[in-house]
Amino acid sequence: MGEYIIEMLNITKIFPGIVANDNITLKLKKGEIHALLGENGAGKSTLMSILFGLYQPDSGEIRKNGKVVQINNPNDANDLGIGMVHQHFKLVDIFTVLENIILGVEPNRMGFIQKEEARKKVVELSEKYGLKVDPDAYVEDITVGMQQRVEILKMLYRDNEILIFDEPTAVLTPQEIRELLQIMKGFAKEGKSILFISHKLNEIMEVADRCTVLRKGKCIGTVNVKDTTKEELSRMMVGRDISFKVDKKERKPGDVVLSVKNLNVVSKTHGKNLVKDVSFDVRAGEIVCLAGIDGNGQREIVNAITGLEKPTSGTIILCGHDITKASIRERSIRGISHIPEDRHKHGLVLDYKLEENLVLQRYWQREFQNRGFIKFDSVRKYAEKLIDKFDIRSGQGPITITRSMSGGNQQKAIIAREIDKDHELLIAVQPTRGLDVGAIEYIHKQLISRRDAGKAVLLVSLELDEVMDISDRILVIYEGEIVGELDPKTTTVEELGLYMSGAKRDNVKEINDGREE
Amino acid sequence: MEGKNNIYNDNKFNIRNMMNKGILSSFFSALVAVFLGLIIGFFVMLIALPANALIGFRHIIVGGLNRIGDVFYYATPILMTGLSVGFANKMGLFNIGASGQYTMGMYFALYVAFMWDLPDSIHWIVACLAGFVGGMIWGAIPGIFKAFLNVNEVITSIMFNYIGMYLVDMLIQGNSAMYVSDKTRTQYIPAEVQMPSLGIPNSNVNLGIILAILIGILLYIVLQKTIFGYELKATGFNRFASEYAGMKGKRNIIITMAIAGGLSGLGGAFGILAPSGIAGSSMTYEPINIIAPAGFNGIAVALLGNSHPIGIIFSAIFISYIQRGGTLASLAGYKPEIIDIVIAVIIYFSAFANIMNTAILGFIVRHFGKGRKSGNTLANDDIKEAE
């Protein structure tokens, strides 16, 4: 003993209809970065939530420095020096960075907060570890990357020595990811122990010392990262070989399906021009990718095309029809399918059953209703067909409450619904965000199958690998303008990065005109 | 995949899965709320007048049985306002304006009863429909404000309670055909326009309760089986997803508020058109600047019934039952207000019913359901996003 700072022994946790953790043992050494790898639904987050005191295990025990400990809630975890950065940040938007960091452990004298004291400690910590933050900025105004640094500072401020990172890179840009991995290495050197939940093999290979792989709630094994390969890890995780290369045949684009002309969107809140004079076409049988760092106008363009928000000016033409002023339903009927960016906010009614969500775009069609009454047997049959065809997994089949499904399967449900519906144009916004390799491979195949079926696909993505692998044409967007049109076959990730960060730009209008001539 | 299917089949009929369907769970939590409310009510009585506490409590528990006709009679208006509040709540709207809609319903029904000359056979029916229309208008206006100007319906509908009440008081006082100024009440409504009585002695119970229950069942069907219900619930659960799916949110808000208002208005019509036990008299409206309490009781009824139309039918009858018992408790020397305290406690508990049902059913399953796969997982309804 003594070698391990935390031991989770034979942990079992059962949820309705699913064994989330089945006799899992995880041992964390002091000063190591230990990766926890697994597909969505493999039980990674559950295991970490148990360590953090959010759930109680049904059986098994947790030891710290060899002594059995009982962790009933996050406060207990904190007392034991365990801190966690959640996948979805737990920050108060209308508080400043400093206020968020000290929240819950405010230094005070007779009930008055001693902010200066706190500020000193925060500034010291942020300088020591290179975590750049502005203590007086409001959380709602800072970037996602900085919000994450705030979460990390929260752990450091509480003197935690065991740091859990739950999929920390899912929301970051490539540059920010590199920075974060460096910071994690620094922590390990300091003697802090890190649990790093991820399904991104590259990152694990880069920073982790050891890696424990989970699959379907079971522990597959723990390996030394330097003795293994990406391929082996992915085989352990998925249970089969995964091809990292996307299989894509040559295809000649057909007619123009979507044509966006001189689109402008002016922000209602601060009057800034979020989309500036954007024009582009998407043709049948091609995947056009709108690449860019988050928040450069992609969302506004997608909302204008799908009808969620009205553009300030410009024209949108779908298959020859001007749909600029059409309702969302009309656009859907005319052939737009939309895999939304936020599956919980827009894509699903989480409190509805899976079958009810699968007909969300079609419930009003004759197939599913008769004189205003829903035909429940048709809905059930249709849901069973989609569940089967798209391999959507859930505890109770069509009647599963969607909220209880794993993120990957929720996304599969949306994709099944949008692909199975009649469409000419598929808009997919960050369709693989937060998903594991198996699910990503699956979704990429589906997108390519749409292209091969002669549909137009507009992909919005922040993942450079995805952009390079999937698309036939890349439009780079920076501060609301299209600054470059690239061919993934001839460009490099580095060049793409330069365009995305605004360091390089072409006059795209000229390119377009040139091509048409 | 196969493993998961097995678990699903094994557990098909256990408590856990019935809980998942939500029916048992909300029924159970309502029962627990009622039970705790009664116990605390008993303690209140014990403190107020220790000697008579048992007798008084007995009146509350079983007193309603002697007045079963009255139980249903008094249940009618609060059932309608309860349905009104519950229906709007399904779409995520809080219709606190049931009182105003109820009052408008009464006025429209009275107007038709006095001012329109119609054949006896259809006169009360038309009067009821007029009440529905009156409530609908009063519900639709806050709906329109909400839909087009995004004004919070809680604020507008509270204002409309006052506007409706003062407006009706003014209109009635200004109408000499309807108003008897020296008695500060409306004229007696002709017997032909009153609702048909169900003929239970010593009670005013009438066709209204049967219609109200049928309307409750109809609403259940609308919510569960129709496209409109599907859209309404989807909007209530997740406004953004409903918009994404191309549902007409604005239209649905107005329709929902109009229907909710109509239900309250119909409640007002049922209330004012109820037959009187004494020949030659009737219910009357007194323009004395008081907001109709039926609307607020409706909020309590809807809460206890978990906004489920069938649940609301039972909760309205229950609250009416316990109110009848409460009036009898005065025979044992208690103020009738004591029963208001008991009812308030019940509502209070039903407001956090979900927490209680998690705790209590969790306890039951842990201690009596051992060996089941689904052991202590009841507490996890809201944290099922395990991964």
Side-chain angles (χ1 to χ4, degrees):
Chain A
M1 281 301 134
E3 189 189 358
Y4 297 112
I5 184 159
I6 285 285
E7 292 164 274
M8 299 182 78
L9 303 173
N10 308 102
I11 301 287
T12 295
K13 176 76 191 170
I14 299 164
F15 287 116
I18 191 162
V19 183
N21 286 166
D22 186 356
N23 198 18
I24 291 179
T25 294
L26 174 74
K27 295 175 177 182
L28 178 65
K29 286 180 189 165
K30 192 167 164 51
E32 75 166 342
I33 299 180
H34 192 123
L36 190 57
L37 175 68
E39 286 192 277
N40 283 293
K44 306 179 301 265
S45 293
T46 307
L47 189 67
M48 288 305 102
S49 299
I50 288 172
L51 182 58
F52 196 56
L54 292 170
Y55 302 148
Q56 297 307 308
D58 294 332
S59 68
E61 61 180 32
I62 301 173
R63 291 186 193 173
K64 190 190 174 200
N65 293 325
K67 270 194 284 262
V68 176
V69 290
Q70 182 71 33
I71 306 173
N72 289 321
N73 54 52
N75 287 339
D76 288 357
N78 192 40
D79 292 342
L80 292 167
I82 301 170
M84 182 161 176
V85 176
H86 296 269
Q87 194 176 354
H88 303 282
F89 302 147
K90 314 236 180 256
L91 298 171
V92 184
D93 280 352
I94 53 163
F95 275 14
T96 64
V97 167
L98 180 66
E99 285 165 338
N100 266 288
I101 292 173
I102 63 175
L103 190 66
V105 290
E106 304 87 355
N108 68 82
R109 222 160 278 149
M110 323 243 312
F112 291 93
I113 296 182
Q114 302 296 310
K115 266 198 192 165
E116 283 317 306
E117 215 173 282
R119 179 193 304 274
K120 234 180 93 199
K121 187 169 172 188
V122 169
V123 171
E124 264 170 32
L125 284 171
S126 81
E127 278 169 5
K128 180 172 171 194
Y129 294 102
L131 293 160
K132 274 166 270 158
V133 294
D134 171 5
D136 299 312
Y138 286 92
V139 165
E140 59 187 355
D141 298 333
I142 64 180
T143 63
V144 177
M146 196 184 284
Q147 290 184 10
Q148 187 174 57
R149 293 198 283 276
V150 174
E151 285 278 13
I152 297 171
L153 277 169
K154 264 167 80 178
M155 298 195 296
L156 298 174
Y157 187 83
R158 287 159 177 73
D159 299 320
N160 290 324
E161 47 180 343
I162 298 144
L163 312 179
I164 306 171
F165 287 86
D166 188 357
E167 302 195 6
T169 58
V171 290
L172 302 182
T173 62
Q175 285 79 5
E176 286 173 319
I177 291 175
R178 215 167 303 136
E179 236 171 81
L180 175 71
L181 297 182
Q182 282 311 314
I183 289 167
M184 285 169 63
K185 280 183 184 165
F187 288 154
K189 231 175 260 160
E190 286 267 315
K192 293 185 188 296
S193 316
I194 295 177
L195 274 165
F196 175 40
I197 306 179
S198 182
H199 45 239
K200 291 188 185 166
L201 297 166
N202 290 333
E203 293 164 9
I204 290 177
M205 295 304 289
E206 190 179 334
V207 294
D209 300 308
R210 294 194 302 150
C211 177
T212 296
V213 185
L214 303 186
R215 187 166 78 225
K216 291 181 183 166
K218 291 196 171 68
C219 182
I220 302 301
T222 302
V223 292
N224 282 322
V225 170
K226 61 176 187 296
D227 304 331
T228 187
T229 61
K230 243 169 82 171
E231 284 70 25
E232 193 188 332
L233 284 178
S234 75
R235 204 175 311 119
M236 285 173 77
M237 166 166 72
V238 188
R240 64 186 163 86
D241 287 317
I242 289 275
S243 72
F244 289 96
K245 268 278 144 260
V246 180
D247 206 17
K248 213 172 81 182
K249 285 189 283 293
E250 276 298 314
R251 205 177 186 293
K252 216 171 154 38
D255 298 336
V256 173
V257 172
L258 173 75
S259 177
V260 175
K261 285 182 189 145
N262 305 100
L263 190 71
N264 282 286
V265 178
V266 176
S267 162
K268 282 192 189 103
T269 46
H270 44 71
K272 260 204 315 208
N273 227 347
L274 300 174
V275 176
K276 288 174 217 154
D277 212 22
V278 163
S279 303
F280 63 91
D281 290 344
V282 185
R283 293 165 178 272
E286 71 168 347
I287 299 178
V288 172
C289 180
L290 206 51
I293 295 168
D294 200 10
N296 273 285
Q298 299 97 318
R299 184 172 303 133
E300 286 73 20
I301 292 175
V302 168
N303 285 350
I305 298 172
T306 56
L308 283 169
E309 268 171 65
K310 298 270 170 290
T312 314
S313 67
T315 329
I316 298 157
I317 291 165
L318 179 73
C319 303
H321 299 278
D322 184 345
I323 58 160
T324 316
K325 292 197 165 61
S327 69
I328 297 174
R329 176 66 50 84
E330 191 187 333
R331 293 173 203 233
S332 168
I333 295 169
R334 286 221 185 272
I336 292 184
S337 275
H338 176 200
I339 299 167
E341 178 181 8
D342 188 334
R343 52 181 168 264
H344 289 175
K345 186 177 174 188
H346 286 112
L348 296 165
V349 180
L350 288 173
D351 296 298
Y352 264 1
K353 292 177 207 144
L354 174 57
E355 61 181 3
E356 289 172 309
N357 269 307
L358 286 172
V359 295
L360 193 63
Q361 298 279 24
R362 306 187 53 182
Y363 65 93
W364 44 272
Q365 292 178 351
R366 283 227 58 87
E367 191 183 343
F368 301 110
Q369 64 119 345
N370 187 15
R371 291 163 205 274
F373 283 84
I374 294 177
K375 292 200 267 188
F376 284 96
D377 3 329
S378 314
V379 172
R380 177 66 53 86
K381 247 187 239 144
Y382 180 68
E384 275 164 357
K385 189 185 103 190
L386 288 192
I387 288 170
D388 194 46
K389 188 168 154 197
F390 291 87
D391 190 23
I392 306 165
R393 297 177 192 188
S394 61
Q396 295 165 295
I399 58 162
T400 315
I401 299 295
T402 317
R403 189 183 290 284
S404 71
M405 293 165 54
S406 71
N409 282 301
Q410 288 175 345
Q411 186 72 341
K412 274 188 184 176
I414 294 175
I415 287 169
R417 180 181 74 207
E418 298 302 321
I419 287 182
D420 201 70
K421 155 184 176 295
D422 285 336
H423 63 281
E424 294 305 320
L425 170 69
L426 176 66
I427 301 175
V429 187
Q430 297 191 45
T432 58
R433 181 160 77 164
L435 301 184
D436 57 74
V437 202
I440 290 173
E441 184 194 27
Y442 173 90
I443 286 164
H444 286 170
K445 270 190 190 148
Q446 292 293 345
L447 292 181
I448 290 166
S449 84
R450 291 298 89 203
R451 158 195 185 263
D452 292 346
K455 310 295 182 189
V457 179
L458 178 64
L459 171 71
V460 177
S461 179
L462 312 176
E463 304 271 352
L464 292 182
D465 291 342
E466 180 168 285
V467 172
M468 296 296 283
D469 287 350
I470 298 295
S471 43
D472 296 310
R473 202 145 63 82
I474 302 170
L475 300 171
V476 189
I477 184 160
Y478 176 72
E479 291 193 335
E481 285 176 275
I482 292 183
V483 293
E485 179 175 336
L486 306 170
D487 180 347
K489 283 197 281 294
T490 56
T491 191
T492 60
V493 175
E494 284 69 31
E495 193 179 6
L496 186 56
L498 288 177
Y499 278 99
M500 281 167 69
S501 59
K504 198 171 169 188
R505 62 183 299 156
D506 301 334
N507 195 336
V508 179
K509 272 213 182 104
E510 276 172 21
I511 305 174
N512 274 340
D513 295 345
R515 195 185 54 203
E516 271 158 32
E517 271 166 25
Chain B
M1 186 71 192
E2 269 170 33
K4 281 176 188 172
N5 273 339
N6 285 340
I7 292 171
Y8 155 49
N9 290 333
D10 285 347
N11 289 356
K12 212 167 188 173
F13 296 108
N14 70 17
I15 301 176
R16 168 78 238 163
N17 275 295
M18 286 199 275
M19 291 282 305
N20 272 345
K21 287 179 186 148
I23 294 162
L24 191 67
S25 92
S26 42
F27 180 68
F28 194 86
S29 53
L31 275 189
V32 173
V34 166
F35 183 70
L36 290 175
L38 286 174
I39 289 181
I40 291 177
F42 178 67
F43 279 110
V44 173
M45 296 174 86
L46 210 54
I47 294 162
L49 198 61
N52 293 351
L54 271 178
I55 306 171
F57 194 62
R58 214 187 128 257
H59 280 306
I60 289 182
I61 300 289
V62 296
L65 289 177
N66 302 326
R67 306 237 175 136
I68 212 72
D70 272 1
V71 168
F72 286 107
Y73 167 61
Y74 285 103
T76 312
I78 59 173
L79 170 50
M80 291 310 297
T81 51
L83 289 172
S84 165
V85 176
F87 188 70
N89 196 28
K90 280 282 179 194
M91 201 190 184
L93 299 168
F94 185 24
N95 178 23
I96 203 169
S99 295
Q101 296 146 13
Y102 182 88
T103 310
M104 282 317 259
M106 283 209 277
Y107 176 74
F108 273 60
L110 278 172
Y111 190 88
V112 169
F114 287 112
M115 313 301 285
W116 287 15
D117 201 11
L118 291 167
D120 291 350
S121 56
I122 59 160
H123 203 159
W124 68 270
I125 299 175
V126 176
C128 283
L129 289 177
F132 186 79
V133 171
M136 239 170 110
I137 295 169
W138 229 237
I141 297 171
I144 291 167
F145 275 105
K146 168 89 176 179
F148 291 108
L149 302 169
N150 201 22
V151 181
N152 193 321
E153 78 282 0
V154 174
I155 293 165
T156 32
S157 55
I158 288 180
M159 304 305 265
F160 266 65
N161 281 341
Y162 288 94
I163 298 171
M165 182 264 291
Y166 285 115
L167 184 68
V168 167
D169 284 6
M170 187 187 89
L171 289 172
I172 282 183
Q173 282 168 348
N175 187 325
S176 57
M178 289 162 76
Y179 188 57
V180 196
S181 59
D182 57 347
K183 294 201 170 91
T184 63
R185 60 161 172 79
T186 52
Q187 299 271 14
Y188 287 134
I189 300 163
E192 308 83 61
V193 198
Q194 296 174 15
M195 309 251 325
S197 167
L198 291 183
I200 295 177
N202 302 324
S203 156
N204 298 338
V205 66
N206 56 70
L207 200 58
I209 184 67
I210 293 178
L211 293 175
I213 290 173
L214 289 177
I215 289 166
I217 295 169
L218 183 72
L219 286 181
Y220 173 76
I221 294 169
V222 168
L223 282 171
Q224 293 302 320
K225 309 281 180 201
T226 68
I227 288 200
F228 177 61
Y230 176 91
E231 291 195 350
L232 192 136
K233 286 186 292 175
T235 312
F237 282 135
N238 185 347
R239 189 162 61 81
F240 300 104
S242 72
E243 190 191 356
Y244 155 85
M247 296 176 191
K248 293 194 173 64
K250 289 180 178 172
R251 190 198 66 177
N252 285 350
I253 286 174
I254 297 169
I255 294 180
T256 305
M257 281 303 284
I259 292 176
L263 294 168
S264 286
L266 203 51
F270 288 167
I272 200 75
L273 297 176
S276 166
I278 305 152
S281 74
S282 83
M283 299 296 143
T284 56
Y285 181 85
E286 297 173 5
I288 48 173
N289 298 356
I290 288 176
I291 289 191
F296 297 109
N297 287 335
I299 297 172
V301 167
L303 252 177
L304 188 61
N306 201 19
S307 295
H308 189 289
I310 307 297
I312 288 169
I313 294 174
F314 285 104
S315 73
I317 293 169
F318 170 77
I319 287 187
S320 172
Y321 175 87
I322 208 132
Q323 276 173 336
R324 290 321 101 217
T327 54
L328 284 175
S330 57
L331 294 178
Y334 286 98
K335 300 258 182 293
E337 281 81 4
I338 214 99
I339 203 63
D340 289 337
I341 295 179
V342 177
I343 292 171
V345 172
I346 292 173
I347 301 310
Y348 189 71
F349 275 106
S350 68
F352 46 174
N354 282 331
I355 303 169
M356 288 196 305
N357 105 59
T358 306
I360 291 169
L361 262 158
F363 176 82
I364 292 174
V365 174
R366 249 198 313 279
H367 289 263
F368 303 101
K370 279 250 162 82
R372 279 220 177 94
K373 270 257 172 205
S374 58
N376 68 352
T377 48
L378 290 163
N380 295 318
D381 272 4
D382 52 340
I383 46 174
K384 274 189 269 182
E385 276 182 277
E387 263 284 348

